[in-house]
Amino acid sequence: MTWNKPPPAVAVAAADAHDTDHGRLRELGYKQELKRHLSVLSNFSISFTVISVLTGVTTLYNTGLAFGGPATMTLGWFVAGAFTMAVGLSMAEICSAFPTSGGLYYWSARLAGDRWAPFAAWITGWFNIVGQWAGTASIDFSLAQLIQVIVLLSTGGNNGGGYLASKYVVFAFHAVILLSHATINSLSITWLSFFGQLAAIWNMLGVFALMIVVPVVATERASAKFVFTHLNTDNSAGIHNKLYIFVLGLLMSQYTLSGYDASAHMTEETKNADRNGPIGIISAIGISLIVGWGYILGITFAVKDIPYLLSPDNDAGGYAIAEVFYLAFKSRYENGVGGIICLWIVAIAIYFCGMSSMTSNSRMTYAFSRDGAMPLSSLWHKVNKQEVPINAVWLSAFISLCMALPSLGSLVAFQAMASVATTAVNIAYALPILFRVMLAHKSFVPGPFNLRRYSILVGWIAVLWVATITVLFSLPVSYPVTKDTLNYTPVAVGGLFTLILLSWIVSARHWFKGPITNLGG
């Protein structure tokens, strides 16, 4: 494919003046294979559901409490949020220029120039797709763990003889959840649009319900001073430096505020994609920032005893948010049933998050294989009668299942794999932005949405932020450092980078040419 001008076959696009979306896609080198049924609301809903503040905050609330505590969560949320918005704005600008399902790797190819296009597409694509698979695995496994806690509390709690599911049962939960998500994602895009909007509504109403109900029900509430200024330096990790603690606590916010590239991956199914795709990205981040902060505040005002909430000896077995919900209702009504209902609200939100995550990464798999980048590519980009990339859906489910297998041996090993979901995806976000500001700052032709004179500045802020968090999230999280306390993030991400680079040197550089047109002669 020629990178700075449309391929010759695209001349036929002129005949499609009545269909702007189809014509624009042909200009980018592809024929329309997926149905354009998504409105701007549907596109936003998928990204908003993948971000899912109920999922990210709930899953990593323990991390937020242990590292930094309330101040890191309430104030650090906007630190991470502001820089995430810079990344999102830069991505939205590029998405407007190149609205394709391939998203990030296609952008990298177009922005890196002819010489570097194949390598740029290869490295960006594999970081993106592996990070997405790891993300789906992490989300669905987190749901399986939450169900384990709900069952424990429903049967009496950790101190009342409650049933604690084994790691094999938790893995079985994970498998069933993935199976159901693959089944839903095998439906037509019309159904996915409906489920996506339902998921967005559930996430929105769920946040508002919990942020009001939990602190109102709690018989004891934290002070505003505690919520906004308390730094938890009294922890078992052996880290007492306030700045270090604050930085480590940002992981909760950054983990939550990711996945908005889903809007880009859904552009070939979105009407007016060069406008609605960018709107989906920016609005998903912005609204998540607002409702996420409300959720964090609502829960944290019900926090009193941090060491107890993190203790494995409490009723929820150390699952902090579950213990907050359970104690709030138990202290007022002498039973924790209301808290368990609140946990089911969160569980359903996480379920929707995993569903939308699979939607997004199946489209990435479809697009990446369409360009011949994956083994058995011809199989994964097949589209069924309902115009759904069905094989890509089930491949994504299978790989996400395999990625959770290390949990049977060691949760530390699984957490190392799960860390790829945050770091690798953010690296994939930064690469096309880097190529935009370094190599294509003069040749880039913006779409309807663009940052104008602020484009380069915002782009550099985005790239430097991703570089910063990649280093920060690779730092030790406990001292002394042992094999059980080592932060395996740099090992996992470094290993992934090594495999991607070696595969390029040994094989792909001989045959992978980057995105290729499928328009025919």
Side-chain angles (χ1 to χ4, degrees), residues 111-348:
L111 297 168
D114 290 351
R115 181 180 179 185
W116 293 102
F119 177 68
W122 182 262
I123 194 168
T124 304
W126 279 109
F127 263 112
N128 192 196
I129 200 167
V130 173
Q132 285 199 349
W133 286 332
T136 301
S138 176
I139 292 163
D140 283 4
F141 193 81
S142 296
L143 175 56
Q145 289 177 311
L146 179 58
I147 292 173
Q148 177 193 46
V149 173
I150 291 173
V151 171
L152 174 64
L153 291 173
S154 300
T155 53
N158 197 38
N159 298 311
Y163 171 73
L164 182 65
S166 70
K167 60 185 178 182
Y168 299 103
V169 173
V170 172
F171 185 83
F173 288 160
H174 175 69
V176 171
I177 294 164
L178 277 171
L179 177 64
S180 67
H181 283 158
T183 302
I184 291 173
N185 274 282
S186 299
L187 302 174
S188 71
I189 190 62
T190 305
W191 278 105
L192 286 178
S193 175
F194 167 75
F195 282 123
Q197 293 183 42
L198 176 63
I201 293 170
W202 184 274
N203 272 273
M204 192 80 73
L205 294 181
V207 166
F208 283 116
L210 295 176
M211 66 185 277
I212 294 170
V213 169
V214 174
V216 167
V217 168
T219 54
E220 291 185 277
R221 299 179 191 86
S223 67
K225 181 180 179 181
F226 175 83
V227 170
F228 292 108
T229 66
H230 181 72
L231 277 170
N232 181 32
T233 55
D234 182 20
N235 56 73
S236 60
I239 302 173
H240 307 295
N241 180 277
K242 290 184 177 181
L243 179 60
Y244 198 169
I245 284 289
F246 184 86
V247 163
L248 291 178
L250 291 177
L251 177 61
M252 182 198 77
S253 302
Q254 195 61 55
Y255 173 81
T256 303
L257 297 170
S258 61
Y260 44 87
D261 59 315
S263 287
H265 295 302
M266 301 306 295
T267 49
E268 290 184 34
E269 294 161 90
T270 301
K271 302 169 185 175
N272 299 316
D274 55 358
R275 289 178 172 82
N276 292 340
I279 291 172
I281 293 171
I282 296 165
S283 57
I285 297 171
I287 295 175
S288 293
L289 275 174
I290 296 168
V291 299
W293 196 58
Y295 181 52
I296 292 170
L297 284 182
I299 304 310
T300 308
F301 268 109
V303 168
K304 293 291 290 183
D305 187 346
I306 293 176
Y308 178 74
L309 293 178
L310 296 172
S311 171
D313 297 325
N314 64 35
D315 279 317
Y319 200 116
I321 275 192
E323 188 67 17
V324 170
F325 291 172
Y326 191 71
L327 282 179
F329 282 87
K330 191 174 183 179
S331 63
R332 184 170 293 274
Y333 301 111
E334 297 185 356
N335 70 72
V337 174
I340 294 170
I341 293 172
C342 288
L343 288 175
W344 275 116
I345 292 174
V346 174
I348 294 170

